[in-house]
Amino acid sequence: MTDVPNNPDEPKVPAPPDSGDRPQVGVDEWVASVEGRRADRSLALRAYGRVPAPAQLIVVVAAVCALPFLLNSGDLFVYGLFTLLYALLGLGLNVVVGFAGLLDLGYVAFYGIGAYGYALLASPKYDLHWQAELAIPVVMVGTALIGLILGFTSRRLLGDYLAIVTLFFGQAFVVFVNNANPHNITGGANGIAPTDPLSIFGYKLTTTRQYYYFLVIAVLVVMAGLWSLLRSRTGRAWQALREDPLAAEMMGTPVNRLKIVAFAFGAGIAGLAGAIFAAVSTGIAPGAFDTSVLITIYAIVILGGTGSLVGVVLGAVVINVTYEALSPSTPSTGRWIFYLALVIAILARIRPWPKLAVVVGGTAAFGFAVHAIAGAVSSSATAGPVTEGGSLTGFIKHWVIIPEHPGSAAKYAYVGLVVAVVALTRLSGWSRAIALIPVLYLTAFVWENLMIEQPAVARLIIFGALLIAIMQVRPQGLLGTSRVEIV
Amino acid sequence: MRENQRVPESVRRALPGGLATSAALALLGFEIADKGWAFFFQITLNGVTLGAVYALIALGYTMIYGILKLLNFAHGDVYMVGAFIGYGVLSSLGGPLNPSVPVWLLIVLMFGAGMLGSGLLGVAIERFAYRPLRAAPRIAPLISALGVSFFLQNSALLLFGASYRSYDPFSLLGFGGAHFGSSVFISWIRIGVVIGAIALMLALIFLVGRTQIGKAMRAVSFDREAAAMMGIDVDRVIAATFFIGSALAGAAGVMFGLVFSQIFHFMGFLAGLKGFTAAVVGGIGSIPGAMLGGLIVGLVEQYAQGYLNGNWSDLFVFAILIVFMLVRPNGLLGTRAINKV
Amino acid sequence: MLKRVSLIASVAAVAALAIVVSAVAGPASTASQAVTCGTTRTIGVAAPITGPAASLGSQQLGWAQFYVTTWNKSHKTKYKIVQGDTQLPNAAEAIKVAQRFGSNSKILVVVGPAGSQEIQDTTAAFKNAGLAFISGSATRTSLTDGSRKGFFFRVVPNDDQQAPAVANYITANLKSDHVFIIDDQEAYSQGLADGVQKLLDAKNVKTTRDSVSQSASDFSSLIAKIPSSTKVIYIPWQLSAKAQLFGQQLKGAGKNIPLFGSDGLFDPDNFTIAGSYDSFFPVNVTSATIKAYASAHGGKPDYFGVPSFVAAQVAVNAVEKACKTGKGKATRATVRKAVASTKLTATLLGIPVSFTANGDVSGGGFSIYKIGSDGAYSKVG
């Protein structure tokens, strides 16, 4: 409790049982304790916070620009270029979802329209080879117009009904370019290939590095534009629309017009991202604009915190880097991430220190003991090789049971693990800590015997689990604000 | 404008809907004239079968939305798990070629296991992924649901592999069916599925309308806080809703396997999409709406496939549904959203 | 104001830096790096391991892995596979895989990708990296028009060889005058269907063309559309399970029209509609290799991935050759040359494998199989 002066004779109001760190409605403490929380932040963050804003920006931009010198071309492509592309898409979706509060589930169609628009204007298909400085604005404006039309037709739809109409639109786009394809404009399932590289005033962008820097510039420009848009009258009206549509309408804000403009802006940015994507990938096919990309963009926006520009970029970094680091092409990296995530989760959630020590020590001891017993019982039970062990091979070989012929034991173990984790939530306190030990060992067993064999599938499983976990820990997103709900 | 020349309000409201409906009926009439009544009857029957499966999935969506205002995107994958549980029961009891128990018992066991397994899975998902997020902004459970969907889909891929699994209903139940005239045919399996779906829907209506727990569900969906103040255990009611909705999805999964034979890990995505469409088209939050919506979506899909070339049929379905949503923004039986001030 | 100035300054700085950097040479290209051939050598395998086409990709990966494990058991040099998940039809993932493989200096040759649109979109990345990529399933004819010469190879004959074989058999042996063609809206299927339709039209056979989504399971309305006077239904699909389902539903609707499938449907375990035909390579289904694969995979063999087995064979043999002629050192260029000069007299596909200048397999042919009433496949043409 902070030093809010209160009458000592008044009875103390007990905190609600499930409060945690949720803002207390109607209580001043949350506001009053802000300074205390600011002081709690780490030294590094405080030092960063004291640097003036422009210098902060330059530091970040410099770090981003130095990246191509640290990574090889392929890694730069998947980690750097695609992160920025997703950041751009996230910024656009942020306008629709975060600024105006509209659930647009067909957003990826604008991405596709931008890509196909550029591909039609700058490829051998119709022998048009427009320069980028002409093609990109045309594509952006064209996509924005289509966004305008979509916004206009669905201006009277609310909430989930808007979601479904936009979802239809998104699906209809993919079906149109894949099947309907009148007069073979879109190339059907084969798409349009090859597409011209971006050619700005005659200067062709050909290497991954050049595209990377171009995207950095594009993201910065878009961020700057959105930042000033947010502070303009339209931006403030969007915020009013997001917070309370009815009150905004009563205050005279032109709600329908705002929705349409939000759609148009979001679509325009997606069109830009689509054009750049078409140039970077030298060829496009309908499957790249399907629902899986939509889910990724939504995850980025929500994880980063809807409404926050920097948050969206941060979300793109977190999601794309994690997704690519878990790639089946680099399984040893995936293993590190898996174990690191487990360790971090345990360190972060188990307090106090004695309990943590018991869990960590107990798991290690349990593992070695079980491994020794299994080895003594039957030599083939521990004779299997460690797949892609890397530097951890020695430790894993002596800690986890890896049978020579696991058969379907690993699959049953997987199901058992899911059940065990669900059951674990019913326990609490010390019994949960003790029960955690065999569960952790079981997790390592399942990983080494089943999931590392199929790294591509394991990637998506971990990705899904991460999404669930992050939402539990921080439902408002990384840089979103925990809003105080008025009852 | 003089009084008696003004178009009355009710007519003006009904105009777009009336125009759209008459256009659709005219189109249909033209096609019937072109291809004949028997063909129309055949694809209507196909549409009803498909619609029954969609309706069951839509019911789960609508119930969960009604009570939590949450779009449960993991629902399609619960349906997939139900189908796989049914397949597991089928193969462990001898498989479609050589069942070790009488066929009727096998079917009952498949349905029972599928519904129970899916129901429990739904309850676990709610407990794990949605309950901690009840106080969070509405969009957070959406991502959680997507995470659950990824997890379930790929767990199925990990455990069962990527190849299609077949219920092989033709070996199990044969090719028999009812013939109407010379060209219209519907198999017994399809008839059974439609009857089963109707039975489940009637059971649901009875449950929601007449029983104690149904009353509690309706109360919680209407006003959660008031219901809590009246002494209803909200958590338990929500868990029960998830159980019932997911059990219906599990039943739909087993039915799909029996009629259409092929199941694989990605099937929940498409079916979930169609079920979600059906729920919204019928008016999300309304149980009869979900049933009607499922029927409509199934019929529209079959008419489009039957009368149009395959390249354009999917597009046409989406176009029809978009027009429908624009004409009736709240769905067929949905209530006009009254914004509380 | 200050923020705006700093933003403009940073943008200008980045622009200048970009121009300067691109003028300076980039990182050493992996294309020309020489790799020491130790005892362990690496090849890349790109296939759709997850996503809607997972049933196809897992077979391709499985067969490629099977070749490598079989090789490793009987040779001193060991091979390692680096996997790439291309998530067909999401071509963006394929491009990412290509870029990653390109930068991984250990990888000398790539097996895959699977889809024709993926080949198109990844060509630039592979060419820049100097990698040879050998596909076991991309059959679109225009892929070997010369623009990928020396880089792209395929061990399966293309659509221009399969379509005439099918059309000839239909007109000569089945003597059909009305053929109903249904494609499954994927690139492979559309290409083959177009080819066969054109050939049949030229021979004055009446054709009706329709399509159905690859993910559809309800063919009842499509079946209702098929007139009973149809003599043959040509279904160049990729998923044998769907073809089986289609055949059963067709029979259930009382229409006994023979089906004609393409090489993607060859599957004696799943596609067993009596009286149907299928075009496939002359694989010996009783070979010991197939039996060994079956026993390692739960008793049932699958056939979609057999070309990937052969592609892996080409890849491994090429690396062996390049390492031998390079006396322990190989570059991607020498491996490409080795692939181009491949001469395998007998492969699991039943056809000898050597490549034309543009990357097609020379001397490839298709056989027509008929499915008997017991579900067994017998060669008829």
Side-chain angles (χ1 to χ4, degrees), chain A residues 53-77:
Chain A
Q56 277 183 0
L57 183 65
I58 292 180
V59 163
V60 170
V61 172
V64 166
C65 291
L67 204 63
F69 299 97
L70 302 170
L71 298 173
N72 64 32
S73 166
D75 283 346
L76 184 65
F77 189 86

Side-chain angles (χ1 to χ4, degrees), chain B residues 35 39 42-43 46-47 50 154 157 161-164 166 168-171 175 179 183 185 190 256 259-262 264-266 270 301-314, chain C residues 49-56 58-59 183 185 190 209-226 239-245 247-249 251-254 270:
Chain B
K35 296 231 173 71
F39 185 67
Q42 173 72 68
I43 57 180
N46 299 336
L50 203 59
N154 290 287
L157 182 55
S163 43
Y164 283 68
S166 177
D168 206 0
F170 294 103
S171 305
F175 284 92
H179 288 269
S183 52
F185 169 79
R190 285 175 185 247
F256 183 90
V259 178
F260 301 112
S261 178
Q262 306 283 345
F264 79 128
H265 67 100
F266 210 69
L270 208 61
E301 202 180 294
Q302 290 301 311
Y303 288 148
Q305 247 189 26
Y307 287 126
L308 295 173
N309 190 305
N311 281 337
W312 290 90
S313 58
D314 281 335
Chain C
I49 309 173
T50 60
S55 55
L56 304 172
S58 57
Q59 292 185 33
D183 70 73
Q185 297 174 359
Q190 284 177 346
R209 175 77 177 271
D210 209 328
S211 75
V212 69
S213 162
Q214 197 181 65
S215 51
S217 294
D218 186 5
F219 304 110
S220 38
S221 295
L222 182 64
I223 290 170
K225 261 196 265 187
I226 301 175
L239 299 170
S240 52
K242 294 286 177 183
Q244 172 77 354
L245 188 60
Q248 283 177 329
Q249 291 185 0
K251 185 163 160 210
N270 280 325

Side-chain angles (χ1 to χ4, degrees), chain C:
Chain C
M1 183 62 205
L2 193 58
K3 217 166 184 174
R4 220 166 284 188
V5 165
S6 64
L7 178 67
I8 296 173
S10 52
V11 170
V14 171
L17 187 62
I19 296 174
V20 166
V21 161
S22 51
V24 173
S29 168
T30 41
S32 45
Q33 269 177 349
V35 174
T36 328
C37 306
T39 30
T40 314
R41 299 143 191 213
T42 318
I43 62 171
V45 173
I49 309 173
T50 60
S55 55
L56 304 172
S58 57
Q59 292 185 33
Q60 292 189 322
L61 180 66
W63 272 102
Q65 281 174 330
F66 185 67
Y67 182 81
V68 166
T69 39
T70 318
W71 171 279
N72 285 347
K73 265 189 236 159
S74 53
H75 290 82
K76 246 189 253 141
T77 54
K78 309 286 176 202
Y79 278 82
K80 199 170 88 115
I81 288 182
V82 172
Q83 299 178 12
D85 184 7
T86 59
Q87 295 186 13
L88 185 72
N90 188 354
E93 292 291 323
I95 298 168
K96 283 194 218 174
V97 167
Q99 290 275 349
R100 268 184 189 266
F101 281 177
S103 299
N104 186 343
S105 51
K106 291 211 203 88
I107 295 180
L108 291 167
V109 65
V110 174
V111 171
S116 302
Q117 70 268 53
E118 293 180 322
I119 302 285
Q120 271 181 272
D121 295 345
T122 53
T123 301
F126 281 128
K127 273 176 112 165
N128 271 337
L131 277 170
F133 51 118
I134 310 162
S135 176
S137 56
T139 55
R140 195 161 145 227
T141 316
S142 61
L143 293 176
T144 45
D145 58 0
S147 56
R148 296 173 185 84
K149 192 166 162 165
F151 289 89
F152 171 64
F153 303 88
R154 55 179 158 203
V155 294
V156 287
N158 59 30
D159 291 345
D160 267 0
Q161 289 166 296
Q162 187 168 178
V166 171
N168 283 338
Y169 193 85
I170 290 181
T171 45
N173 297 55
L174 296 181
K175 298 205 190 344
S176 323
D177 53 357
H178 184 196
V179 177
F180 203 95
I181 304 178
I182 311 172
D183 70 73
D184 69 4
Q185 297 174 359
E186 292 296 319
Y188 158 87
S189 187
Q190 284 177 346
L192 262 181
D194 288 338
V196 169
Q197 186 172 23
K198 222 188 313 192
L199 287 168
L200 287 175
D201 285 342
K203 294 195 186 172
N204 287 323
V205 176
K206 177 154 140 13
T207 58
T208 321
R209 175 77 177 271
D210 209 328
S211 75
V212 69
S213 162
Q214 197 181 65
S215 51
S217 294
D218 186 5
F219 304 110
S220 38
S221 295
L222 182 64
I223 290 170
K225 261 196 265 187
I226 301 175
S228 318
S229 62
T230 316
K231 289 286 164 38
V232 172
I233 305 177
Y234 180 56
I235 44 173
W237 297 355
Q238 281 175 318
L239 299 170
S240 52
K242 294 286 177 183
Q244 172 77 354
L245 188 60
F246 180 77
Q248 283 177 329
Q249 291 185 0
L250 192 69
K251 185 163 160 210
K255 297 190 175 164
N256 281 314
I257 308 171
L259 298 173
F260 203 117
S262 61
D263 64 296
L265 298 181
F266 187 90
D267 197 343
D269 286 299
N270 280 325
F271 183 47
T272 53
I273 304 285
S276 304
Y277 298 87
D278 194 27
S279 65
F280 198 55
F281 327 105
V283 173
N284 177 10
V285 290
T286 55
S287 82
T289 320
I290 296 188
K291 284 206 180 50
Y293 181 84
S295 56
H297 285 83
K300 279 196 172 194
D302 51 57
Y303 297 89
F304 192 86
V306 171
S308 297
F309 179 89
V310 178
Q313 184 177 9
V314 168
V316 165
N317 283 317
V319 174
E320 287 288 300
K321 197 187 217 177
C323 285
K324 219 172 283 176
T325 48
K327 300 213 184 0
K329 271 200 191 319
T331 64
R332 288 178 178 172
T334 54
V335 175
R336 282 200 323 263
K337 282 207 196 54
V339 174
S341 60
T342 305
K343 269 189 185 26
L344 298 169
T345 41
T347 62
L348 198 55
L349 283 175
I351 54 177
V353 170
S354 62
F355 298 110
T356 63
N358 281 340
D360 265 318
V361 58
S362 45
F366 279 90
S367 304
I368 311 288
Y369 292 79
K370 182 167 177 176
I371 306 178
S373 47
D374 54 346
Y377 282 53
S378 51
K379 210 191 294 194
V380 292

Side-chain angles (χ1 to χ4, degrees), chain A residues 107-121:
Chain A
Y107 184 72
V108 74
F110 297 124
Y111 181 46
I113 292 174
Y116 270 96
Y118 180 84
L120 288 172
L121 292 176

Side-chain angles (χ1 to χ4, degrees), chain B:
Chain B
M1 212 188 210
R2 266 180 283 158
E3 279 277 347
N4 53 2
Q5 277 188 346
R6 224 188 289 159
V7 180
E9 174 71 29
S10 54
V11 174
R12 207 154 24 100
R13 265 243 188 99
L15 202 60
L19 276 177
T21 324
S22 7
L25 286 176
L27 216 71
L28 202 58
F30 171 71
E31 289 289 358
I32 296 178
D34 190 25
K35 296 231 173 71
W37 278 103
F39 185 67
F40 172 73
F41 197 42
Q42 173 72 68
I43 57 180
T44 307
L45 285 177
N46 299 336
V48 169
T49 319
L50 203 59
V53 177
Y54 289 158
L56 285 177
I57 307 174
L59 278 170
Y61 265 113
T62 234
M63 287 172 70
I64 292 171
Y65 183 85
I67 227 176
L68 272 184
K69 299 288 177 288
L70 161 76
L71 290 172
N72 181 17
F73 281 124
H75 197 67
D77 298 287
V78 172
Y79 153 89
M80 180 266 297
V81 169
F84 269 96
I85 292 177
Y87 177 77
V89 168
L90 179 65
S91 41
S92 59
L93 286 178
L97 296 169
N98 219 354
S100 46
V101 295
V103 176
W104 66 266
L105 181 61
L106 185 61
I107 306 255
V108 166
L109 283 174
M110 281 162 65
F111 270 102
M115 290 175 75
L116 187 67
S118 296
L120 290 175
L121 180 67
V123 171
I125 292 174
E126 191 271 326
R127 181 79 184 67
F128 237 124
Y130 302 148
R131 191 180 295 191
L133 295 175
R134 281 222 201 127
R138 257 198 63 196
I139 211 160
L142 214 76
I143 292 298
S144 210
L146 289 172
V148 173
S149 173
F150 269 131
F151 184 82
L152 287 176
Q153 253 177 36
N154 290 287
S155 298
L157 182 55
L158 192 72
L159 295 174
F160 289 99
S163 43
Y164 283 68
R165 302 286 173 139
S166 177
Y167 270 55
D168 206 0
F170 294 103
S171 305
L172 190 64
L173 298 165
F175 284 92
H179 288 269
F180 299 100
S182 62
S183 52
V184 180
F185 169 79
I186 182 166
S187 65
W188 295 127
I189 306 173
R190 285 175 185 247
I191 295 179
V193 157
V194 173
I195 293 179
I198 294 179
L200 282 172
M201 290 185 227
L202 288 175
L204 183 72
I205 292 178
F206 175 77
L207 184 82
V208 172
R210 298 293 169 94
T211 59
Q212 192 87 312
I213 187 84
K215 215 184 287 191
M217 282 198 256
R218 275 183 286 141
V220 170
S221 71
F222 195 70
D223 189 337
R224 199 193 303 172
E225 303 215 350
M229 283 192 268
M230 289 294 123
I232 295 177
D233 186 346
V234 169
D235 282 343
R236 188 176 286 191
V237 168
I238 292 181
T241 314
F242 265 85
F243 182 85
I244 296 172
S246 307
L248 288 174
V254 176
M255 283 182 190
F256 183 90
L258 286 174
V259 178
F260 301 112
S261 178
Q262 306 283 345
I263 60 171
F264 79 128
H265 67 100
F266 210 69
M267 67 193 269
F269 178 76
L270 208 61
L273 201 68
K274 299 262 166 69
F276 173 59
T277 306
V280 176
V281 157
I284 197 149
S286 149
I287 288 181
M291 300 181 196
L292 209 55
L295 191 65
I296 291 177
V297 171
L299 284 174
V300 169
E301 202 180 294
Q302 290 301 311
Y303 288 148
Q305 247 189 26
Y307 287 126
L308 295 173
N309 190 305
N311 281 337
W312 290 90
S313 58
D314 281 335
L315 198 60
F316 188 73
V317 171
F318 287 125
I320 289 267
L321 292 171
I322 291 178
V323 167
F324 180 86
M325 289 305 300
L326 293 178
V327 160
R328 260 203 93 81
N330 283 329
L332 210 58
L333 296 179
T335 45
R336 264 268 156 102
I338 301 170
N339 285 329
K340 286 201 279 212
V341 183

